[in-house]
Amino acid sequence: MRTKQVNFLIAFAAVVLFSFSCFCISRMTQTNNQLINCRNHILEFKENMLRLKNKTETNRQELMKTLNRMKDEIEQRENLSARLVEKKVNTSDKIETVTNAFEILKFFLPHLRKVGRIYPNVIIGKEKTGVSFALGIPTVNRGNHTYLKQTLTSIVSRMTLSEENDSVVIVSIADSNEDYVKSVVDMITKKFRKQVKSGSLEVISIPAYFYPTMLHDKESTEDSEKLERWKTKQVLDFCFLMLYAQPKAMYYLQLEDDIIAKKSYFTTITDFVHNITSNNWFSIEFSVLGFIGKLFKSADLTDFVQFFLMFYKDKPIDWLLGYIFQIKMCHPGETTEKCIERNREIRIRYKPSLFQHVGIQSSFPEREQHLKDIYY
């Protein structure tokens, strides 16, 4: 009996152990499957991360390429903008320089204070600057008479190519007659095509608003009043042309529209200026007549213009030129001879004259003049 109980317990224990083993094996199998699933998930995650990494690297490379392209485009645009801005600034600087030069007119001519920007009408011109000489030729309508073509032919044809390249001739039309303006432009564009193309010949016209009201008065019939207006206008015409020419060249040569020049005149002027031992001169005169053939340093033109404008209603411009030297060099109480001697230090006269006056019909209506330079 006791043996049966022992066997029963052993059998029961065996069953329990078997059951427990089966349970353990089942749990281990389940756990193993879970581990396998977990491992599979980890492997899948690693693969996804690797794909994401590869995709990220691809995206990064594409992004870098895009950024580099954008950078290159920005640099190209900046360089282009810089060149355009530089060109615009250079052009603006030139215009602004000339415009600023005209601002002094507002101090002496109050009616111009209402005007914004004072600037000539540039009919023909390529903004040539940086040359040694600017030659100014004001011109007005003389009715049926004209000497401008003869003057320009003489001036231009007696320059060498290098001299032409180192200078600019400026024709300033100081006349509101549209037919005359058109005739001048047509003549110059046809006859002097090469100089126009190279920029060595410019044509400007002075705007009507520049002149005071008194010069627009056409009702007066008195010759004396007409003559005074003519002299006054001439001073203003010369001042305007000087201010326009000033930034273009180192020296300014004042001419008129009814003169001729000697052969090799330009070479003579250049050599004479370069061989002057003293640089204290204010004017060199290559003709004794009026304002013809007067050479100035461009840096001094503002001083001359300011003086001319102070007395533009009072005296002709050639008289004012003489007065400015007297004021500069003559001292109270000294003799005339002493004053003249000191004047010669800054007002140099070259002989023989290089320019001759050929016009007979004056720019003053219905008047003839037969002035000749005896030293030509």
Side-chain angles (χ1 to χ4, degrees), residues 102 104-106 108-112 115 118-120 172 174 205-213 215-216 232-241 243 305 309 312:
F102 285 109
I104 66 168
L105 296 173
K106 295 181 179 181
F108 299 97
L109 304 172
H111 71 283
L112 293 178
V115 178
I118 304 173
Y119 199 70
S172 176
S205 66
I206 301 177
Y209 66 75
F210 167 65
Y211 300 106
T213 305
L215 297 183
H216 294 286
T232 298
K233 180 179 178 297
Q234 188 180 56
V235 176
L236 296 178
D237 292 342
F238 279 51
C239 288
F240 196 96
L241 179 52
L243 292 176
V305 169
L309 290 175
Y312 77 95

Short mmCIF file of all heavy atoms in Angstrom, two decimals, residues 102 104-106 108-112 115 118-120 172 174 205-213 215-216 232-241 243 305 309 312:
data_model
loop_
_atom_site.label_atom_id
_atom_site.label_comp_id
_atom_site.label_asym_id
_atom_site.label_seq_id
_atom_site.Cartn_x
_atom_site.Cartn_y
_atom_site.Cartn_z
N PHE A 102 27.47 124.09 -62.92
CA PHE A 102 26.49 125.11 -63.30
C PHE A 102 25.75 125.72 -62.11
O PHE A 102 25.04 126.71 -62.27
CB PHE A 102 25.46 124.52 -64.27
CG PHE A 102 25.98 124.33 -65.67
CD1 PHE A 102 26.22 123.06 -66.16
CD2 PHE A 102 26.24 125.41 -66.48
CE1 PHE A 102 26.70 122.87 -67.45
CE2 PHE A 102 26.72 125.24 -67.77
CZ PHE A 102 26.96 123.97 -68.25
N ILE A 104 26.80 127.45 -59.71
CA ILE A 104 27.23 128.81 -59.34
C ILE A 104 26.41 129.86 -60.08
O ILE A 104 26.34 131.02 -59.66
CB ILE A 104 28.73 129.03 -59.60
CG1 ILE A 104 29.04 128.98 -61.11
CG2 ILE A 104 29.57 128.04 -58.86
CD1 ILE A 104 30.43 129.46 -61.45
N LEU A 105 25.79 129.47 -61.20
CA LEU A 105 24.98 130.42 -61.96
C LEU A 105 23.81 130.93 -61.13
O LEU A 105 23.37 132.07 -61.29
CB LEU A 105 24.46 129.76 -63.24
CG LEU A 105 25.51 129.34 -64.27
CD1 LEU A 105 24.85 128.54 -65.40
CD2 LEU A 105 26.24 130.56 -64.85
N LYS A 106 23.30 130.09 -60.23
CA LYS A 106 22.12 130.47 -59.45
C LYS A 106 22.43 131.61 -58.48
O LYS A 106 21.51 132.33 -58.08
CB LYS A 106 21.60 129.25 -58.68
CG LYS A 106 21.07 128.15 -59.59
CD LYS A 106 20.53 126.97 -58.80
CE LYS A 106 19.98 125.90 -59.73
NZ LYS A 106 19.43 124.74 -58.99
N PHE A 108 24.34 134.22 -59.18
CA PHE A 108 24.38 135.48 -59.92
C PHE A 108 23.13 135.72 -60.76
O PHE A 108 22.83 136.86 -61.10
CB PHE A 108 25.60 135.49 -60.85
CG PHE A 108 26.92 135.37 -60.11
CD1 PHE A 108 27.54 134.14 -59.98
CD2 PHE A 108 27.52 136.47 -59.54
CE1 PHE A 108 28.75 134.02 -59.30
CE2 PHE A 108 28.72 136.36 -58.86
CZ PHE A 108 29.34 135.12 -58.74
N LEU A 109 22.40 134.66 -61.07
CA LEU A 109 21.19 134.77 -61.88
C LEU A 109 20.01 134.22 -61.08
O LEU A 109 19.71 133.03 -61.16
CB LEU A 109 21.36 134.01 -63.20
CG LEU A 109 22.57 134.41 -64.06
CD1 LEU A 109 22.76 133.46 -65.22
CD2 LEU A 109 22.44 135.85 -64.56
N PRO A 110 19.36 135.07 -60.29
CA PRO A 110 18.31 134.60 -59.37
C PRO A 110 17.18 133.81 -60.03
O PRO A 110 16.60 132.93 -59.40
CB PRO A 110 17.78 135.91 -58.75
CG PRO A 110 18.92 136.87 -58.89
CD PRO A 110 19.60 136.51 -60.18
N HIS A 111 16.87 134.12 -61.29
CA HIS A 111 15.76 133.42 -61.94
C HIS A 111 16.05 131.92 -62.12
O HIS A 111 15.12 131.13 -62.28
CB HIS A 111 15.46 134.06 -63.30
CG HIS A 111 16.49 133.81 -64.34
ND1 HIS A 111 17.70 134.48 -64.37
CD2 HIS A 111 16.52 132.95 -65.40
CE1 HIS A 111 18.42 134.05 -65.40
NE2 HIS A 111 17.73 133.12 -66.03
N LEU A 112 17.33 131.54 -62.04
CA LEU A 112 17.69 130.14 -62.20
C LEU A 112 17.50 129.33 -60.91
O LEU A 112 17.60 128.11 -60.93
CB LEU A 112 19.15 130.00 -62.66
CG LEU A 112 19.46 130.50 -64.07
CD1 LEU A 112 20.94 130.35 -64.36
CD2 LEU A 112 18.63 129.76 -65.11
N VAL A 115 14.99 126.75 -61.13
CA VAL A 115 15.28 125.64 -62.06
C VAL A 115 15.98 124.53 -61.28
O VAL A 115 16.88 124.79 -60.49
CB VAL A 115 16.18 126.12 -63.22
CG1 VAL A 115 16.52 124.97 -64.15
CG2 VAL A 115 15.50 127.25 -63.98
N ILE A 118 20.46 122.52 -64.14
CA ILE A 118 20.89 123.36 -65.25
C ILE A 118 21.87 122.55 -66.10
O ILE A 118 22.91 122.10 -65.62
CB ILE A 118 21.58 124.65 -64.75
CG1 ILE A 118 20.64 125.42 -63.81
CG2 ILE A 118 22.00 125.52 -65.92
CD1 ILE A 118 21.30 126.60 -63.13
N TYR A 119 21.52 122.37 -67.36
CA TYR A 119 22.37 121.57 -68.23
C TYR A 119 22.04 121.91 -69.68
O TYR A 119 20.89 122.18 -70.02
CB TYR A 119 22.13 120.07 -67.98
CG TYR A 119 23.24 119.18 -68.49
CD1 TYR A 119 24.48 119.17 -67.86
CD2 TYR A 119 23.04 118.35 -69.58
CE1 TYR A 119 25.50 118.35 -68.31
CE2 TYR A 119 24.06 117.53 -70.03
CZ TYR A 119 25.28 117.53 -69.40
OH TYR A 119 26.30 116.73 -69.86
N PRO A 120 23.04 121.94 -70.55
CA PRO A 120 22.77 122.27 -71.95
C PRO A 120 22.06 121.13 -72.67
O PRO A 120 22.04 119.99 -72.19
CB PRO A 120 24.17 122.49 -72.53
CG PRO A 120 25.06 121.64 -71.68
CD PRO A 120 24.48 121.71 -70.30
N SER A 172 28.91 125.61 -79.37
CA SER A 172 27.77 125.96 -78.52
C SER A 172 26.83 126.88 -79.29
O SER A 172 27.18 128.03 -79.58
CB SER A 172 28.26 126.65 -77.24
OG SER A 172 27.17 127.07 -76.45
N ALA A 174 24.22 129.33 -79.39
CA ALA A 174 23.61 130.29 -78.45
C ALA A 174 22.49 131.04 -79.15
O ALA A 174 22.43 132.27 -79.14
CB ALA A 174 24.67 131.25 -77.92
N SER A 205 23.43 123.16 -77.28
CA SER A 205 22.67 124.42 -77.40
C SER A 205 22.30 124.88 -76.00
O SER A 205 22.03 124.06 -75.11
CB SER A 205 21.42 124.22 -78.25
OG SER A 205 20.50 123.36 -77.61
N ILE A 206 22.31 126.17 -75.82
CA ILE A 206 22.03 126.75 -74.51
C ILE A 206 20.51 126.88 -74.35
O ILE A 206 19.84 127.46 -75.20
CB ILE A 206 22.69 128.14 -74.37
CG1 ILE A 206 24.21 128.00 -74.55
CG2 ILE A 206 22.36 128.76 -73.02
CD1 ILE A 206 24.97 129.32 -74.49
N PRO A 207 19.95 126.33 -73.28
CA PRO A 207 18.49 126.39 -73.09
C PRO A 207 18.01 127.82 -72.89
O PRO A 207 18.71 128.64 -72.28
CB PRO A 207 18.25 125.54 -71.83
CG PRO A 207 19.58 125.52 -71.13
CD PRO A 207 20.63 125.60 -72.19
N ALA A 208 16.82 128.11 -73.39
CA ALA A 208 16.28 129.48 -73.34
C ALA A 208 16.08 129.96 -71.92
O ALA A 208 16.21 131.16 -71.63
CB ALA A 208 14.96 129.53 -74.11
N TYR A 209 15.78 129.03 -70.98
CA TYR A 209 15.53 129.44 -69.60
C TYR A 209 16.76 130.02 -68.92
O TYR A 209 16.66 130.64 -67.87
CB TYR A 209 14.97 128.29 -68.78
CG TYR A 209 15.93 127.13 -68.57
CD1 TYR A 209 17.00 127.22 -67.67
CD2 TYR A 209 15.77 125.93 -69.25
CE1 TYR A 209 17.88 126.16 -67.48
CE2 TYR A 209 16.65 124.87 -69.07
CZ TYR A 209 17.69 125.00 -68.18
OH TYR A 209 18.56 123.95 -67.99
N PHE A 210 17.93 129.79 -69.52
CA PHE A 210 19.18 130.27 -68.92
C PHE A 210 19.24 131.80 -68.89
O PHE A 210 19.79 132.40 -67.96
CB PHE A 210 20.37 129.70 -69.70
CG PHE A 210 21.69 130.36 -69.39
CD1 PHE A 210 22.26 130.25 -68.12
CD2 PHE A 210 22.37 131.08 -70.35
CE1 PHE A 210 23.47 130.86 -67.84
CE2 PHE A 210 23.59 131.69 -70.07
CZ PHE A 210 24.13 131.57 -68.81
N TYR A 211 18.67 132.44 -69.88
CA TYR A 211 18.80 133.89 -70.02
C TYR A 211 17.78 134.65 -69.17
O TYR A 211 16.62 134.24 -69.07
CB TYR A 211 18.63 134.30 -71.48
CG TYR A 211 19.64 133.66 -72.40
CD1 TYR A 211 19.27 132.61 -73.25
CD2 TYR A 211 20.96 134.09 -72.42
CE1 TYR A 211 20.20 132.02 -74.09
CE2 TYR A 211 21.90 133.50 -73.26
CZ TYR A 211 21.51 132.46 -74.09
OH TYR A 211 22.42 131.87 -74.92
N PRO A 212 18.21 135.77 -68.57
CA PRO A 212 17.27 136.61 -67.81
C PRO A 212 16.18 137.18 -68.72
O PRO A 212 16.34 137.24 -69.95
CB PRO A 212 18.16 137.73 -67.26
CG PRO A 212 19.56 137.21 -67.34
CD PRO A 212 19.58 136.29 -68.51
N THR A 213 15.10 137.62 -68.11
CA THR A 213 13.96 138.13 -68.87
C THR A 213 14.34 139.28 -69.77
O THR A 213 13.83 139.42 -70.90
CB THR A 213 12.85 138.58 -67.90
OG1 THR A 213 12.53 137.50 -67.02
CG2 THR A 213 11.60 139.00 -68.65
N LEU A 215 16.76 139.75 -71.61
CA LEU A 215 17.32 139.36 -72.90
C LEU A 215 16.27 138.78 -73.83
O LEU A 215 16.54 138.55 -75.02
CB LEU A 215 18.45 138.35 -72.69
CG LEU A 215 19.66 138.86 -71.92
CD1 LEU A 215 20.73 137.79 -71.84
CD2 LEU A 215 20.24 140.11 -72.59
N HIS A 216 15.07 138.51 -73.31
CA HIS A 216 13.99 138.00 -74.15
C HIS A 216 13.13 139.14 -74.71
O HIS A 216 12.24 138.89 -75.50
CB HIS A 216 13.10 137.05 -73.34
CG HIS A 216 13.80 135.79 -72.93
ND1 HIS A 216 14.08 134.77 -73.82
CD2 HIS A 216 14.29 135.38 -71.73
CE1 HIS A 216 14.72 133.79 -73.19
NE2 HIS A 216 14.86 134.14 -71.92
N THR A 232 25.59 141.80 -73.18
CA THR A 232 25.25 141.04 -71.97
C THR A 232 25.10 139.56 -72.29
O THR A 232 25.63 138.70 -71.59
CB THR A 232 23.95 141.58 -71.36
OG1 THR A 232 24.14 142.95 -70.98
CG2 THR A 232 23.53 140.76 -70.15
N LYS A 233 24.38 139.29 -73.37
CA LYS A 233 24.17 137.90 -73.77
C LYS A 233 25.49 137.22 -74.13
O LYS A 233 25.70 136.04 -73.81
CB LYS A 233 23.21 137.82 -74.95
CG LYS A 233 22.92 136.39 -75.43
CD LYS A 233 21.94 136.39 -76.59
CE LYS A 233 21.70 134.99 -77.09
NZ LYS A 233 22.90 134.34 -77.63
N GLN A 234 26.38 137.93 -74.76
CA GLN A 234 27.67 137.35 -75.14
C GLN A 234 28.47 136.91 -73.91
O GLN A 234 29.09 135.85 -73.89
CB GLN A 234 28.48 138.34 -75.96
CG GLN A 234 29.76 137.73 -76.55
CD GLN A 234 30.54 138.73 -77.36
OE1 GLN A 234 30.91 139.80 -76.86
NE2 GLN A 234 30.80 138.41 -78.62
N VAL A 235 28.43 137.72 -72.86
CA VAL A 235 29.13 137.36 -71.63
C VAL A 235 28.53 136.06 -71.07
O VAL A 235 29.27 135.13 -70.70
CB VAL A 235 29.01 138.48 -70.57
CG1 VAL A 235 29.66 138.03 -69.26
CG2 VAL A 235 29.68 139.75 -71.07
N LEU A 236 27.21 135.98 -71.03
CA LEU A 236 26.56 134.79 -70.50
C LEU A 236 26.83 133.56 -71.36
O LEU A 236 27.03 132.46 -70.85
CB LEU A 236 25.05 135.04 -70.38
CG LEU A 236 24.62 136.12 -69.38
CD1 LEU A 236 23.12 136.31 -69.40
CD2 LEU A 236 25.10 135.78 -67.97
N ASP A 237 26.84 133.75 -72.68
CA ASP A 237 27.11 132.64 -73.59
C ASP A 237 28.50 132.05 -73.34
O ASP A 237 28.68 130.83 -73.30
CB ASP A 237 27.02 133.10 -75.05
CG ASP A 237 25.59 133.45 -75.46
OD1 ASP A 237 24.66 133.03 -74.76
OD2 ASP A 237 25.43 134.15 -76.49
N PHE A 238 29.48 132.93 -73.17
CA PHE A 238 30.85 132.48 -72.95
C PHE A 238 30.97 131.76 -71.60
O PHE A 238 31.65 130.73 -71.49
CB PHE A 238 31.82 133.66 -73.02
CG PHE A 238 32.20 134.06 -74.41
CD1 PHE A 238 31.23 134.29 -75.38
CD2 PHE A 238 33.52 134.23 -74.77
CE1 PHE A 238 31.57 134.67 -76.67
CE2 PHE A 238 33.88 134.59 -76.06
CZ PHE A 238 32.90 134.82 -77.02
N CYS A 239 30.30 132.30 -70.58
CA CYS A 239 30.35 131.69 -69.25
C CYS A 239 29.75 130.29 -69.28
O CYS A 239 30.30 129.34 -68.68
CB CYS A 239 29.61 132.56 -68.24
SG CYS A 239 30.45 134.10 -67.81
N PHE A 240 28.63 130.14 -69.93
CA PHE A 240 27.96 128.83 -70.01
C PHE A 240 28.85 127.81 -70.69
O PHE A 240 29.01 126.67 -70.22
CB PHE A 240 26.64 128.98 -70.79
CG PHE A 240 25.70 127.82 -70.60
CD1 PHE A 240 24.69 127.86 -69.66
CD2 PHE A 240 25.82 126.68 -71.39
CE1 PHE A 240 23.83 126.79 -69.49
CE2 PHE A 240 24.96 125.61 -71.23
CZ PHE A 240 23.96 125.66 -70.27
N LEU A 241 29.46 128.20 -71.79
CA LEU A 241 30.34 127.31 -72.53
C LEU A 241 31.57 126.93 -71.70
O LEU A 241 32.01 125.77 -71.69
CB LEU A 241 30.76 127.97 -73.84
CG LEU A 241 31.73 127.18 -74.75
CD1 LEU A 241 31.22 125.77 -75.01
CD2 LEU A 241 31.93 127.94 -76.06
N LEU A 243 31.79 126.71 -68.43
CA LEU A 243 31.40 125.78 -67.38
C LEU A 243 31.17 124.37 -67.93
O LEU A 243 31.47 123.38 -67.27
CB LEU A 243 30.14 126.28 -66.66
CG LEU A 243 30.31 127.54 -65.82
CD1 LEU A 243 28.97 127.99 -65.25
CD2 LEU A 243 31.32 127.33 -64.69
N VAL A 305 34.74 132.85 -64.51
CA VAL A 305 33.29 132.91 -64.71
C VAL A 305 32.62 133.71 -63.61
O VAL A 305 31.73 134.54 -63.87
CB VAL A 305 32.71 131.48 -64.78
CG1 VAL A 305 31.19 131.51 -64.71
CG2 VAL A 305 33.16 130.79 -66.07
N LEU A 309 30.43 137.07 -64.27
CA LEU A 309 29.02 137.13 -63.90
C LEU A 309 28.72 138.29 -62.95
O LEU A 309 27.59 138.79 -62.91
CB LEU A 309 28.58 135.81 -63.26
CG LEU A 309 28.51 134.61 -64.21
CD1 LEU A 309 28.18 133.34 -63.44
CD2 LEU A 309 27.46 134.84 -65.30
N TYR A 312 28.37 141.14 -65.64
CA TYR A 312 27.94 140.78 -66.99
C TYR A 312 27.02 141.84 -67.62
O TYR A 312 26.91 141.92 -68.84
CB TYR A 312 27.26 139.41 -66.99
CG TYR A 312 25.84 139.38 -66.45
CD1 TYR A 312 24.75 139.48 -67.31
CD2 TYR A 312 25.59 139.24 -65.09
CE1 TYR A 312 23.45 139.43 -66.83
CE2 TYR A 312 24.31 139.19 -64.60
CZ TYR A 312 23.24 139.29 -65.47
OH TYR A 312 21.95 139.25 -64.98
#
